[in-house]
Structures are given as C-alpha cells and as structure tokens.
Amino acid sequence: MKYIDEFRNPEGVKRLLRLIHGRSQRPVRLMEFCGGHTHAILRFGLRQLLPPTVQLLSGPGCPVCVTASSDLDRAIAMAHLPGVILTTFGDLVRVPGSAGSLQTAKAQGADVRIVYSCLDALAIARAHPNRQVVFLGIGFETTAPTVAATILQAKADGVANFSVLSLHKLTPAAAKAILDAGEVHLSGIIGPGHVTTAIGSRAWDFLPRDYGIPCAIAGFEPLDILQAIYSLVDMIEGDAQAVSNAYTRSVRPEGNHVAQQMIQRVFAVAAAEWRGLGDLPDSGLSVRTEYAPFDAIYRFPVQVGPSQEPKGCRCGEVLRGIAEPSQCRLFAQGCSPEHPVGPCMVSSEGACAAYLQYGEV
Amino acid sequence: MFEDIVLLAHGSGGKLTRALIHEVFAKHLANPLLSKCDDAAVWAALPSGARLALTTDSYVVQPIFFPGGDIGKLSICGTVNDLAMVGARPLYLTAAFILEEGLPLADLERIVVSMASTACEAQVEVVAGDTKVVDNGAADQIFISTAGVGVVPAGIHISGDNAQPGDVILLSGPIGMHGLAVMCQREGLHFSFPLESDCAPLNGLVEAMLRSDSRIHCLRDPTRGGLATTLNELAVQSGVGFEIDEESIPVPHSVQAACELLGLDPLYAANEGKLVAIVPPHAQESILAAMRSHPYGQGAAVIGCVTSSHPGRVVLRTKLGSSRLLDMLSGAQLPRIC
C-alpha cells in the first residue's frame, strides 16, 4: 500500500540498521516521547534489532495516560448529572478514577457514549436537543484543533446543548518538566510526528538550545523511527545538537498554521495537571471566555473531592521515563489490559499495554 | 391482512403469530420436518456408532445488513461453521428470533430469504424455530439464535487440543474482511475500493479437505478476536507453542488500508468465512491443494508451525526479521487518539 509499504520495507530497515550499528559507539538513552512510537517500536520488534548501545525509554506521550485522576473524577461527576450524555474516546472509559471509571458510571446508569471524533458528539447533541452533551476533550496539539473546529461549528450553528471538558495538553511543556526534574539522563528525544505536524519542528528548538540534547522528529513506520534513531546517534557521535526532521512528508518547520490558529481562537494556554508530572504551568488548553457556553467547566461547575492514585501503580514513573513497565510489581500481576490498575495499561498508546501485548521473545 | 411492521401482537401466539410463521418463516424455510409444525422435530435414528455434534450461537450484529451479508446469512454460517470445525457434517438447525416491535416486515423477510438461501448452499435444514416480539427499545431490531446438530464421520478426530509439535498451520484465505466491512458500514465510512464481508458456510470446504486427507488435527474459524485470538486459543488448548510468519498471512489491500486509517490491526479483525487448520506435515500438500481448489479456500496459505517451545504462546516473526509475542485481543480494538 502506497505510503505504508515503502516505510516498512525490510531492505530499507536492514540498511538503516547497518548504519546505526556502524555509527553507534557511545551508550545513548533516547526517549520516544509519543505512545504511538512505543507501540510501533514493540509491534515491529525494533528494540531487539538495535545495537546494545542504544537504549529506548518510553515517554509521557499518551493522552489517556497523562489524564489526571482528578480530571477523570470530574468527568465521572458530570456523567452522573441528570440529562447529561458524556461522550468520550473509547480508551478513556476504562481508566480507573479515584472510585470507579466511566465504564462503571455507565453501568450505574450514566449515559456514557464512545465516539470516534468530537464531531460525532456534536451530531449526538443535534439529535438530542433536550439533553446536554459533554465531550471529554483529551489529547495533545494533534487533537485540539479538531475540537476547536467543532466548538466553532457548534457556535456558528447555535447548538446550545453541546460543551467540551477540555483536558488538552501541550507536549513541549511535558518534555521540559521531565528534563527539569533531572530524574533521568536523556541523550536525545525522538520527537512526536503528529504533534509536530501541527506545531512545527521549530517548537522543539529549545531542546538543543536550552538542554544541549538533539531531537529527531519521527513518523510511525519502522523506517521513520530508525531514521530518527540514526539521526540522533549520528548527532550525538558528532557532538552536534539540533532538531532534525525524519518525517519530512508530514512535518514542516513552521507546522500547520490553520491548526495553530484554530487552537488559538478557541483555547487559551493554561496550567494543567498531568498524571505523573503534577501541575505544570502553561501546559494545557482551556476554553476561552468568549466560548464559555461551550466550556463544560463553566456550564457544570461540579465539585470533586481530593483524588487518589491507585495503590502500587507506577504509571507516573513510567510516564517520566524512570521506570520500565516490567519494573512495576503490578505489571501482569494484578494489572492487565482486562483489569487495569493504571492508565498506561488501558490505552493502546500506553507503554504498559504495549509491553504486555508485544512482549519480546 | 399484514401490517408492514412487526407488532407486539405478532408475538402473542394468536392469529398474527400464525400469519407471520406461514407467510415469512415457513414460506422460505419449508422442509418436511418444519412443515409438520409439531413441537419438536423428529427424525430417523442415526447409524449406530455415529457421533453427534451440537452447537449454538446468538447473532446481534449491527447493522443487520452489511456488504457481503446480513444477520440471517451470518446466523446460518456461524452455526454451520462451528459444526464444521469439529469435522461434523451439519444436518439440522433451529432458529429463534427476538424481534423488536416496529421492525419492518420487509426487512424480516429479506433476512429469512437470506437464511434460506444460505441453508440451501450449506445443505442444512432449519427444522424448528421460535419467535418473540419485545417492546420498542428492548432489543435492537432483530436478534437471532441458532443451534445446529451434525454428524461426525467415523475416523475423524478434530479438536482444539490436538495440535502436535511439528504440525503445520494453514489459513484458508485473506483475513479481516468481515470485521472491517461491518465496522465501516456501522460508522458510515466509505472507501473507493470494495470491502465486503467474507461470510460463508465452510462445511463444503472442510469436507473437501477431509476427503483429501482425514488426519486434520485442529480446525477453528477465526471469528471475533480475529486470527491472533484464535491462534492463542489453540496454542493454550493444545499446550504447545506456535510460530507464525507475518509475511505469509494474506491481508487484502482494502482491509490493510481501512485498518491503517482506523488504527486497527487486521490480525484482530473478525472473519466469518475463514478457517485455521493444523495438520501433520505429511498431510500439508494434499490438504492445501484441496483448500485451494475450493471456492472458499482459494487464498489458502501456510502461515506457521507448531513447536514444543513456549507452550501456550504465539510468536510472530515480523517482516523485518524480529520476533514478538502475538497476544490475544484484550477488550475491543480501539482507534488511537493522536
């Protein structure tokens, strides 16, 4: 299939692997920021093909995983309000909050519906004018523009029973938080391909400039990822730090202006709570006051108690790159995709779920 | 005399029930046993020594009509195929219908006609049935349960616990078509290429395989959960390991493309007209040839082998030369968010 087969070509993979094996001398620790990368790396078995000098760590780039318990508790409280239909992406319904999940809320009678896109939620609102439809907006700079577009559409069409609980997060802020914490020493970062398509590769210039480490933006096919790894190894061996783009068919230095403008029109940068990273300033997106009627926080000011993290769960450390999923004593022992304790075991982009599903042999 | 939608009265047991039976079910599914209208079907005793196979399944698919099939065709194929997977020759089926008040009678008739033609192809008869009508909203249009009975010929011993180290794993054709066809129809996704369910009765294919060599160890149709889940079930049941070659698994371009777009994996997508066969190595050639000469096995391929190492686990050798676990489906397949 065009644009897929070329980037899974076994000959190309072998060629890149030869280059990486030939160039890599120093031990390097690279973080793949994005959960999609973790998933692809394990699905294609790439780790076992790399030289022992190259260590890959999973990062915080899984939107479901970084959603804080307190935010989930708020969503569950909204789902229980009379007349509310809570719409969400599928993964999120199974993530345990402080007490129960959206899935258990649904079983208790809340109207929780899985949608494929925010526009589906708007369609539900149109079809049920007497109900209040709340869309649980999670995701990074990739998802936020589509949610912004839906809010603009709802405003233009005068759909009065639609709102968004915006839990959107900004990725560069998370990368900074991990590096500032200094818990893990990183030699380089494999940059998120889809996010960077939206925000542009320049958004990562702070990595070489402020932290002295290189970044290579990668797509999600084996050749994309290996090309990014080669680029990082090559820069590190040459003592060069820059942002390189190994996903040129999608990513531009300036990013996607339309997407950026859409975000800026509807959302304002705000502090956000991240699971594992805590409260980070300027790391989230809240709905601007001029669109307040479409802001679920404004429309349904529910109160939730202090949130609790699941006991023994090390998702927070996995998201910060300081623990591998298998180092958690719950991994595959009481925490599995069927009975997840933490969010990293729920999402298809979560590191724990990927490690368990594709466990190397 | 007929309203054009199903009414609660159609399930009351009175005149409308009789009319529905005569003008829809008996009309299309007629056979001597069904037409007797007794409370149970009675047939002649089987030859002594014959073993019976019995199975049942329920069908709640949405949408009820999809490219390549409908809930009626599925309800016959599913039960026929379950019988075929133990090497049984399907004989008789029962069908129970839960109808939602308001279902257009034309839709019901279309479904029953489809059941009749599929039963005819599979050479089985529907010999008993039941109809219930529930309030609007208490069911989703139509649910069908079918049960089936079949005869296992002497000398055939097919079971999921029979896989032996050294055996060869065969797949009857390209995967993922039913799952993706139904999902795309349900979600209103349209592609420029055809994407049709592979829904088909496989008893003819199994008979052809058994005629070529009766020493088939395991058969299973990879329905819900897809090929990956079926392989895991068989590996666990037999207490052996499987080694699967990713390159050899046929995936149609249409399925691959739809999966890429939706963020799904064809290895976990449902099939309704495919089977996995595990056979001893010396039977491989003749059984593969028999599969390929049957319309429902033309795309048959050897996809792997059985090993005594890593019992209960399926290992996938990727196209890139690496190896990884091929696990069962956990929960539902969901598209990625970013």
Side-chain angles (χ1 to χ4, degrees):
Chain A
M1 197 168 65
K2 207 164 159 55
Y3 298 123
I4 296 289
D5 293 341
E6 304 92 305
F7 297 98
R8 291 182 190 170
N9 175 351
E11 287 312 309
V13 165
K14 280 183 199 141
R15 209 160 46 239
L16 267 171
L17 282 169
R18 271 198 302 274
L19 285 171
I20 294 169
H21 279 262
R23 185 75 171 118
S24 178
Q25 303 293 321
R26 305 180 206 171
V28 295
R29 192 180 280 164
L30 311 177
M31 174 176 277
E32 77 267 8
F33 186 91
C34 179
H37 283 148
T38 303
H39 182 87
I41 286 164
L42 291 161
R43 178 178 170 199
F44 294 106
L46 298 184
R47 284 158 65 113
Q48 59 193 271
L49 303 174
L50 291 168
T53 41
V54 177
Q55 187 192 352
L56 297 180
L57 293 177
S58 303
C62 158
V64 169
C65 308
V66 295
T67 300
S69 283
S70 58
D71 286 328
L72 267 174
D73 294 345
R74 188 167 291 110
I76 291 167
M78 283 184 189
H80 279 301
L81 292 175
V84 164
I85 300 174
L86 190 113
T87 55
T88 172
F89 294 130
D91 281 9
L92 211 52
V93 297
R94 298 175 57 226
V95 179
S98 300
S101 62
L102 283 166
Q103 187 170 254
T104 49
K106 185 174 195 293
Q108 289 160 359
D111 194 344
V112 177
R113 303 188 191 182
I114 292 173
V115 290
Y116 271 62
S117 93
C118 192
L119 285 167
D120 293 345
L122 186 60
I124 292 173
R126 288 184 211 273
H128 298 85
N130 299 324
R131 306 279 301 273
Q132 282 291 333
V133 174
V134 178
F135 176 73
L136 186 43
I138 63 159
F140 300 125
E141 297 91 333
T142 27
T143 325
T146 64
V147 179
T150 310
I151 289 177
L152 291 171
Q153 184 78 52
K155 187 172 187 189
D157 297 350
V159 182
N161 62 329
F162 172 79
S163 59
V164 172
L165 174 56
S166 176
L167 306 175
H168 298 99
K169 296 189 169 52
L170 302 174
T171 47
K176 279 183 193 151
I178 287 172
L179 291 163
D180 287 341
E183 292 174 306
V184 56
H185 175 75
L186 297 179
S187 330
I189 287 182
I190 301 173
H194 292 156
V195 161
T196 309
T197 302
I199 64 175
S201 56
R202 278 187 206 129
W204 300 100
D205 283 347
F206 71 92
L207 288 172
R209 188 187 63 225
D210 301 343
Y211 295 94
I213 60 168
C215 172
I217 315 300
F220 296 86
E221 299 301 331
L223 280 185
D224 294 319
I225 295 168
L226 290 175
Q227 194 189 333
I229 291 172
Y230 174 71
S231 173
L232 288 170
V233 166
D234 184 52
M235 285 192 274
I236 293 162
E237 292 294 338
D239 289 319
Q241 287 93 32
V243 175
S244 79
N245 183 0
Y247 197 24
T248 49
R249 67 186 182 283
S250 179
V251 170
R252 303 280 173 274
E254 67 282 6
N256 181 330
H257 277 303
V258 176
Q260 291 163 17
Q261 284 166 359
M262 201 77 91
I263 291 178
Q264 280 158 15
R265 241 176 106 182
V266 176
F267 296 114
V269 175
E273 186 185 351
W274 295 59
R275 193 185 292 253
L277 302 176
D279 283 313
L280 300 181
D282 301 332
S283 71
L285 294 173
S286 63
V287 179
R288 285 188 186 275
T289 44
E290 59 188 292
Y291 295 96
F294 302 97
D295 185 353
I297 293 276
Y298 170 83
R299 194 176 288 198
F300 307 104
V302 294
Q303 296 297 322
V304 292
S307 62
Q308 286 178 349
E309 295 297 326
K311 266 194 184 143
C313 169
R314 296 181 71 183
C315 278
E317 291 163 76
V318 171
L319 291 166
R320 299 204 296 278
I322 54 176
E324 289 239 333
S326 55
Q327 291 173 316
C328 176
R329 64 182 176 79
L330 297 180
F331 182 75
Q333 311 282 336
C335 182
S336 64
E338 297 76 45
H339 301 288
V341 176
C344 298
M345 192 56 95
V346 177
S347 174
S348 55
E349 288 159 75
C352 298
Y355 273 68
L356 196 68
Q357 182 179 359
Y358 298 123
E360 288 165 358
V361 274
Chain B
M1 63 163 283
F2 240 38
E3 301 290 340
D4 59 359
I5 56 170
V6 171
L7 305 172
L8 280 175
H10 279 118
S12 67
K15 284 185 181 172
L16 271 182
T17 307
R18 284 185 62 81
L20 187 69
I21 290 171
H22 282 285
E23 299 192 16
V24 179
F25 297 116
K27 178 176 162 191
H28 298 294
L29 297 169
N31 58 69
L33 288 177
L34 185 69
S35 303
K36 283 195 79 173
C37 293
D38 283 335
D39 276 359
V42 180
W43 61 84
L46 295 158
S48 69
R51 290 170 302 149
L52 287 179
L54 175 66
T55 188
T56 185
D57 211 337
S58 297
Y59 302 85
V60 297
V61 66
Q62 267 299 333
I64 56 177
F65 300 105
F66 47 83
D70 55 70
I71 191 170
K73 183 178 184 184
L74 202 58
S75 73
I76 301 291
C77 292
T79 295
V80 162
N81 292 349
D82 282 350
L83 291 172
M85 293 309 120
V86 293
R89 184 163 58 83
L91 293 177
Y92 302 118
L93 304 189
T94 70
F97 297 82
I98 310 280
L99 307 178
E100 184 191 13
E101 178 188 21
L103 175 73
L105 278 169
D107 284 355
L108 177 62
E109 183 157 20
R110 189 175 153 197
I111 288 164
V112 174
V113 166
S114 169
M115 291 174 76
S117 74
T118 311
C120 180
E121 182 191 345
Q123 297 182 302
V124 292
E125 291 179 334
V126 178
V127 295
D130 179 53
T131 309
K132 295 284 187 297
V133 180
V134 297
D135 288 324
N136 192 303
D140 196 353
Q141 294 181 282
I142 177 170
F143 299 155
I144 305 176
S145 282
T146 54
V149 66
V151 181
V152 184
I156 305 294
H157 297 281
I158 297 171
S159 166
D161 61 9
N162 273 350
Q164 312 286 331
D167 281 357
V168 181
I169 304 170
L170 311 177
L171 173 68
S172 67
I175 58 166
M177 291 150 70
H178 176 76
L180 271 297
V182 169
M183 183 175 287
C184 290
Q185 176 85 356
R186 187 189 298 152
E187 301 301 331
L189 300 171
H190 300 287
F191 294 98
S192 57
F193 45 77
L195 196 54
E196 286 201 347
S197 167
D198 58 348
C199 183
L202 296 175
N203 53 325
L205 172 63
V206 172
E207 278 178 36
M209 291 163 68
L210 285 170
R211 270 198 304 276
S212 75
D213 196 313
S214 63
R215 291 166 295 178
I216 296 173
H217 287 164
C218 312
L219 287 174
R220 190 148 297 176
D221 50 342
T223 54
R224 275 181 307 178
L227 178 66
T229 301
T230 290
L231 291 171
N232 273 281
E233 284 169 6
L234 292 171
V236 168
Q237 207 178 335
S238 289
V240 291
F242 290 173
E243 282 175 9
I244 302 296
D245 177 21
E246 185 181 26
E247 182 86 58
S248 66
I249 299 172
V251 181
H253 287 303
S254 55
V255 169
Q256 186 69 49
C259 279
E260 290 297 336
L261 193 73
L262 294 167
L264 307 176
D265 188 338
L267 291 169
Y268 295 94
N271 309 276
E272 288 293 342
K274 296 296 175 312
L275 61 80
V276 170
I278 300 182
V279 305
H282 50 268
Q284 172 192 328
E285 285 305 318
S286 61
I287 291 175
L288 197 58
M291 291 170 87
R292 286 177 175 161
S293 58
H294 191 278
Y296 293 139
Q298 282 173 358
V302 177
I303 60 162
C305 61
V306 180
T307 165
S308 54
S309 49
H310 53 83
R313 304 182 97 187
V314 180
V315 172
L316 187 76
R317 169 134 329 242
T318 71
K319 289 175 188 173
L320 307 183
S322 55
S323 292
R324 67 160 167 96
L325 205 62
L326 181 61
D327 202 2
M328 266 196 191
L329 177 63
S330 177
Q333 272 211 97
L334 295 165
R336 48 187 290 174
I337 295 167
C338 87

